[in-house]
Amino acid sequence: MSRPAARPDARSRLLDAALAVIRAKGYSATTVDELCAAAGVTKGAFFHHFRSKDELGVAAADHWSDTTGALFAGAPYHRHADPLDRILGYVDFRKALLEGGVPDFTCLVGTMVQETYDSVPAIRDACDRSISGHAATLVADIEAAMAERGMTPEWTAQSLALHSQAVLQGAFILAKAKGGAEVAADSIDHLRRYIELLFGRRPESIDREGPARTVAGRL
Amino acid sequence: MSRPAARPDARSRLLDAALAVIRAKGYSATTVDELCAAAGVTKGAFFHHFRSKDELGVAAADHWSDTTGALFAGAPYHRHADPLDRILGYVDFRKALLEGGVPDFTCLVGTMVQETYDSVPAIRDACDRSISGHAATLVADIEAAMAERGMTPEWTAQSLALHSQAVLQGAFILAKAKGGAEVAADSIDHLRRYIELLFGRRPESIDREGPARTVAGRL
DNA sequence: GATGAAGTACCGACTAGTTGGTATGTATTA
DNA sequence: TAATACATACCAACTAGTCGGTACTTCATC
């Protein structure tokens, strides 16, 4: 596991190509030749770096974890002093990421695990690591927000973190079905509203306000 | 479109096989030969009834709509007098369906649309029809529950119906990643709690109750 | 009510192209 | 000089789809 100096070699070009191609076509429909063409390398290079297509799938999921991990670690929502603001800031950040075409904002591992959960255990595990690891980055803030309010609810911080990932993954599926990000944004709005209600930021559970006030764009 | 008497012919056996096989392996990884073997028919029969694999994909999505449509139309939650009870009954019914192995309770069209949204428009449209059509069956009850309380919230009945589908689809992805239904059940619990909070059935938005009271199994 | 024409449902061998993977080579670097 | 990092040619297996054929049903006609 000693790492040579990072450079744009065939391996990382293949991994970057995999993120783009698999998100658009799915894992099974993506061929090795296609990946090589997208990365501008030959098949010999592919099988020099990966023993099989499935091994690339695992590496692509890990690469996805690294890439998105860095993106979220550097995101501005961590700067909020209040833990609930950090949680809501995370949700707003996720909504702000809904830019470009559908393949640009959807999730690689959510796509891959659907196709491989029953046939390629190594890929399923890598996808689970990616999703669960990302969810884990939310737990501390959720627990802090709970502790601040002396809450002992029937749900756990962990389950709320995973639920937020479920909403996002499901939102991506609806966006794919409808061909646009709007439906995903609506679902993220519902997630935000749920969290606000859970933590009592919205004092009235039955919302009687008019439609003028919007939830969007608070980051 | 005249319908001969229904019988277990090759076409319907292929469609039933498609539901099972595609849910387990995904659309692209499912081969025509495999489908034929699972249905106990020959390749000649397959291409007699479907001009291509993609045409079977569309027919499978429509068959899924028919099958699940009948299941939900006959479900007991419609019998509740109060519209909010019908909505919560629907959620409980969805939770109760989480039985058997992961391929048994997950959604065909949610799986298929991930692989085909960018490459097979006809299948994407069929999946969208299935998801959106199912969500539409919830709208009247949501609107009735809103009207009963004189609510004019910033969200629409339609968006809440679609959000519930997003939660379910995302719950299935997490279940596939983790290899079990528990995480999906937790997410459905969060969905139920959200709806209760939205409609004011839980008077306290910050839930201070102990963990003894459970949400499950109210149907 | 026998006959034949025409359609439907299905069979299974076949093919042209594609697939993941291999074998063997060479240039570059440590 | 010994790995490492590629490149090229190749292959066996598989893939969706084809094609000629068979069995059965329907239905009008003689």
Side-chain angles (χ1 to χ4, degrees):
Chain A
M1 293 287 172
S2 66
R3 293 180 203 162
R7 49 181 166 157
D9 56 356
R11 182 185 159 89
S12 50
R13 282 161 71 191
L14 278 165
L15 288 174
D16 288 337
L19 301 198
V21 178
I22 296 175
R23 282 204 280 174
K25 307 192 52 173
Y27 175 75
S28 300
T30 297
T31 69
V32 173
D33 284 324
E34 209 169 355
L35 246 24
C36 293
V41 304
T42 63
K43 222 166 180 179
F46 184 100
F47 285 99
H48 172 71
H49 290 289
F50 307 103
R51 269 181 297 185
S52 66
K53 186 191 170 187
D54 286 349
E55 193 174 291
L56 167 114
V58 173
D62 290 342
H63 184 52
W64 178 255
S65 300
D66 294 343
T67 305
T68 57
L71 175 68
F72 288 106
Y77 61 84
H78 298 288
R79 291 199 299 252
H80 289 293
D82 182 59
L84 179 56
D85 284 334
R86 291 197 293 274
I87 299 165
L88 296 173
Y90 166 78
V91 175
D92 293 334
F93 185 64
R94 293 306 303 253
K95 186 176 173 183
L97 289 177
L98 298 177
E99 284 296 326
V102 173
D104 299 319
F105 61 74
T106 49
C107 175
L108 175 83
V109 294
T111 299
M112 274 208 297
V113 77
Q114 290 245 32
E115 299 179 67
T116 59
Y117 75 100
D118 206 37
S119 41
V120 192
I123 295 183
R124 190 205 59 202
D125 292 344
C127 293
D128 182 32
R129 281 198 303 275
S130 185
I131 295 174
S132 300
H134 180 65
T137 67
L138 305 172
V139 169
D141 285 339
I142 297 173
E143 281 175 345
M146 289 162 70
E148 219 172 42
R149 291 161 180 76
M151 292 165 70
T152 55
E154 50 196 5
W155 47 272
T156 65
Q158 156 104 336
S159 87
L160 181 58
L162 285 171
H163 174 65
S164 70
Q165 300 314 298
V167 172
L168 289 160
Q169 295 291 347
F172 294 152
I173 290 188
L174 292 198
K176 286 172 180 174
K178 297 202 164 291
E182 297 77 16
V183 67
D186 286 347
S187 226
I188 294 178
D189 286 342
H190 280 290
L191 173 63
R192 190 189 216 280
R193 198 173 295 114
Y194 176 48
I195 295 171
E196 291 178 314
L197 288 169
L198 276 182
F199 288 96
R201 179 151 294 186
R202 291 187 177 225
E204 308 247 347
S205 51
I206 297 183
D207 193 332
R208 293 179 195 277
E209 296 161 10
R213 183 176 149 205
T214 178
V215 174
R218 292 196 187 176
L219 188 68
Chain B
M1 294 286 172
S2 66
R3 293 179 204 165
R7 48 182 165 156
D9 57 356
R11 182 185 159 89
S12 50
R13 282 161 70 191
L14 279 165
L15 288 174
D16 287 337
L19 300 198
V21 178
I22 295 175
R23 282 205 281 175
K25 307 193 52 173
Y27 175 75
S28 300
T30 297
T31 70
V32 172
D33 283 324
E34 210 170 353
L35 246 23
C36 293
V41 305
T42 63
K43 221 164 182 181
F46 184 100
F47 285 100
H48 172 71
H49 290 289
F50 308 102
R51 267 181 297 186
S52 66
K53 186 190 169 187
D54 286 348
E55 194 175 290
L56 168 113
V58 173
D62 291 341
H63 184 53
W64 178 257
S65 299
D66 294 344
T67 305
T68 58
L71 175 68
F72 288 106
Y77 60 83
H78 297 288
R79 291 199 299 251
H80 289 293
D82 183 59
L84 180 56
D85 284 334
R86 291 198 292 274
I87 299 165
L88 296 174
Y90 166 78
V91 175
D92 293 334
F93 185 64
R94 292 306 302 252
K95 187 177 173 183
L97 289 177
L98 298 176
E99 284 296 327
V102 173
D104 299 319
F105 62 74
T106 49
C107 175
L108 175 83
V109 294
T111 299
M112 274 209 298
V113 77
Q114 290 245 33
E115 298 179 67
T116 59
Y117 75 99
D118 206 37
S119 41
V120 193
I123 295 183
R124 190 205 58 202
D125 292 343
C127 293
D128 181 32
R129 281 199 302 276
S130 185
I131 295 174
S132 300
H134 180 65
T137 67
L138 304 173
V139 169
D141 285 339
I142 297 173
E143 282 175 344
M146 289 161 70
E148 219 172 43
R149 290 161 180 78
M151 293 164 69
T152 55
E154 50 196 5
W155 46 272
T156 65
Q158 155 104 336
S159 87
L160 181 58
L162 286 170
H163 175 64
S164 69
Q165 300 313 298
V167 172
L168 290 160
Q169 295 291 347
F172 294 151
I173 290 188
L174 292 198
K176 286 173 179 174
K178 296 201 165 293
E182 297 77 17
V183 66
D186 287 346
S187 226
I188 294 177
D189 286 342
H190 280 290
L191 173 62
R192 191 190 217 276
R193 198 173 295 113
Y194 176 48
I195 295 171
E196 290 178 314
L197 288 169
L198 277 182
F199 288 96
R201 179 152 292 187
R202 291 187 177 224
E204 308 247 345
S205 50
I206 297 184
D207 194 332
R208 294 177 196 279
E209 295 160 12
R213 183 177 150 205
T214 179
V215 174
R218 293 197 187 175
L219 190 69

